Amino acid sequence: MRDRLVASLVGMTIAMIALYGIPRAYLLADLVSSDERRDVSSSVALLALLLQERTENATPVDPAYLGSLVTGGDTVSYVDADGSTVASGPPVDPERDVVETRAVPGGGSVTLSRSGNVVDQRISEALVPLILIGLSLTAVAALTGFLLARWLSRPFRELADAADHLGRGRFDIHFPHYSIPEAEAIGTALRSSSTQLDDLIRREREFAANASHQLRTPITALRLELEDLALWPETPPQVAKELESYLPELDRLSSAINELLGLARGRRLGDAVDVDLSALVADVVSRWRPQVEAAGLQIVHVDSGPVRARVVPGPVLQILDVLIENASAYGTSPIQVEARDEERFVEIRVSDDGIRTIGDEVFQRGISSKDGGQGGLGLTIASDLATSMGGYLKLAEGEHTTFVLMLPGPGD
């Protein structure tokens, strides 16, 4: 929009200058040519009088004398009463030069020629101010257009930024009122959308939280009942074994409910703060180290220096928990966690020495375990959380398993 406004204003200015300047230039050139012809005519008349006086005094007329009477670029030719010709100056081009002949009283004639190059140079000198004025007006129009376009486009830039924040889940954005009707209409629509989305997300979050709490209680009770039944002396061993086989499924179901509850809490994205992702990763690694080492694995924080980012820490921690837990369950020691600054974006890599046997389908629902079988919703929810923060979760290319969390850089 800004470039188009500047181009339009500059184009209109150039068109107006052309409409006025080109006819003005032709008139000015014609005026200079007329002045030169009048100047040559008056000069040749004066030369005739001087030559008359010199002839009456019987003083000879030579080229040196004629040359002293004219300026550079002019040619003077004198033909006396006897037909002898004396001239001074460069050759004459009758097609381009201004030529004027006048009879000398007492006999003879004098011809004065002014070079066409001299006339062209004087026309150019006369046109220079007109050209400079045109260029100055064009520059002023460009500057005015830039300032005007910047002022007119400012509301739309602010609205675009606000819409971007709205898309990232921030519904507490203040939309100012504008004097431009189109900008005010967009602001009104965004304010209405923000209110509706905030209400929709709030109800969705409350529903997920309530549903999770409502489901967790009966599942816990059911698990206790199954454990109790499996321990009864009257329960046949085969039935007890069958009952115990259901316990991991209930644990998985309970874990999925906890993940849904965590997702409902983690979707609040309005609390982004400036953090050092490297320090955040170090804290997570320290917290997970006892649990990972208890499983017989090692976890290492690869320190690549400070990595600044503006994120909501909660979802990032949830994603890291899921990735480290997945690596602990299916990976090969050592597990390495590293934050990197890639200028336009930042990334957190969680890798292990295990051979990669999965693809990006692992982020789809129902395929979350490393061997491709049915598992929890951890990676799927982690992928959704990454998307809700404006980033994404992917598997890096390579022989070993490496999950990469991509997040917007601090300037985005």
Side-chain angles (χ1 to χ4, degrees):
M1 175 183 176
R2 185 166 55 188
D3 295 340
R4 292 180 180 179
L5 284 174
V6 174
S8 299
L9 190 58
V10 172
M12 291 178 59
T13 303
I14 292 176
M16 294 178 64
I17 291 174
L19 290 174
Y20 170 78
I22 292 176
R24 176 66 178 171
Y26 276 108
L27 291 174
L28 188 59
D30 186 64
L31 179 63
V32 172
S33 297
S34 300
D35 288 343
E36 291 299 320
R37 285 193 293 270
R38 283 196 296 270
D39 184 63
V40 169
S41 179
S42 60
S43 297
V44 75
L46 180 61
L47 286 173
L49 294 176
L50 292 174
L51 291 173
Q52 177 192 4
E53 181 181 359
R54 196 170 184 87
T55 302
E56 290 175 353
N57 293 333
T59 304
V61 178
D62 54 17
Y65 174 71
L66 293 178
S68 65
L69 298 178
V70 296
T71 58
D74 290 351
T75 299
V76 59
S77 176
Y78 170 62
V79 180
D80 60 16
D82 298 332
S84 299
T85 302
V86 180
S88 177
V92 177
D93 182 0
E95 298 295 331
R96 297 188 66 248
D97 297 349
V98 178
V99 181
E100 187 75 22
T101 301
R102 183 66 56 91
V104 177
S109 63
V110 60
T111 300
L112 179 63
S113 302
R114 179 157 296 172
S115 173
N117 293 332
V118 174
V119 177
D120 293 341
Q121 181 181 356
R122 289 175 181 172
I123 291 175
S124 300
E125 292 173 352
L127 292 178
V128 166
L130 186 63
I131 295 173
L132 291 178
I133 291 174
L135 293 176
S136 300
L137 289 176
T138 303
V140 171
L143 179 61
T144 305
F146 174 77
L147 296 176
L148 182 63
R150 186 175 181 180
W151 176 70
L152 289 175
S153 62
R154 181 182 58 81
F156 296 98
R157 292 200 309 271
E158 293 178 353
L159 288 172
D161 292 339
D164 182 63
H165 288 296
L166 187 63
R168 294 172 184 266
R170 292 193 58 185
F171 307 118
D172 57 343
I173 304 299
H174 172 66
F175 293 93
H177 293 275
Y178 300 102
S179 58
I180 302 175
E182 292 80 2
E184 179 60 21
I186 297 174
T188 301
L190 287 177
R191 279 189 289 273
S192 175
S193 300
S194 174
T195 303
Q196 294 176 3
L197 287 174
D198 190 20
D199 183 63
L200 179 63
I201 295 299
R202 180 181 55 78
R203 282 187 285 139
E204 179 186 350
R205 189 183 304 134
E206 290 176 353
F207 172 77
N210 293 333
S212 299
H213 285 299
Q214 292 295 328
L215 288 173
R216 194 186 330 182
T217 301
I219 288 175
T220 303
L222 179 58
R223 192 183 194 286
L224 292 175
E225 289 292 337
L226 291 178
E227 286 181 335
D228 188 45
L229 286 174
L231 294 176
W232 278 10
E234 298 82 356
T235 304
Q238 292 182 345
V239 176
K241 185 177 180 180
E242 186 70 17
L243 291 174
E244 290 176 351
S245 67
Y246 291 121
L247 296 180
E249 293 299 321
L250 287 176
D251 291 339
R252 188 176 63 82
L253 182 58
S254 179
S255 176
I257 293 173
N258 289 334
E259 290 167 351
L260 287 174
L261 181 60
L263 175 61
R265 291 171 177 168
R267 280 196 182 280
R268 188 169 182 269
L269 301 177
D271 299 330
V273 294
D274 294 325
V275 298
D276 180 3
L277 286 182
S278 184
L280 188 70
V281 167
D283 292 340
V284 174
V285 169
S286 298
R287 178 162 53 83
W288 272 91
R289 181 168 286 115
Q291 186 175 343
V292 173
E293 291 179 349
L297 303 176
Q298 290 184 343
I299 184 169
V300 179
H301 169 225
V302 181
D303 189 359
S304 300
V307 179
R308 301 295 177 187
R310 186 171 181 79
V311 297
V312 183
V316 176
L317 294 176
Q318 283 185 262
I319 295 172
L320 286 178
D321 288 344
V322 171
L323 296 181
I324 294 175
E325 182 181 14
N326 184 78
S328 300
Y330 306 105
T332 302
S333 186
I335 301 170
Q336 297 183 349
V337 187
E338 179 185 11
R340 294 181 179 180
D341 187 352
E342 300 293 344
E343 295 184 357
R344 293 185 58 187
F345 52 85
V346 294
E347 65 179 31
I348 300 177
R349 305 173 73 90
V350 179
S351 61
D352 61 71
D353 277 356
I355 302 300
R356 173 181 170 180
T357 59
I358 54 178
D360 289 335
E361 70 277 1
V362 76
F363 301 117
Q364 299 175 7
R365 297 186 185 280
I367 308 178
S368 297
S369 64
K370 189 172 182 179
D371 56 4
Q374 297 295 320
L377 298 174
L379 291 176
T380 303
I381 293 176
S383 179
D384 291 343
L385 279 176
T387 303
S388 66
M389 289 189 295
Y392 60 93
L393 191 60
K394 69 174 185 178
L395 269 168
E397 297 293 336
E399 180 182 2
H400 301 287
T401 304
T402 302
F403 288 94
V404 183
L405 171 61
M406 308 291 295
L407 294 172
D412 294 338

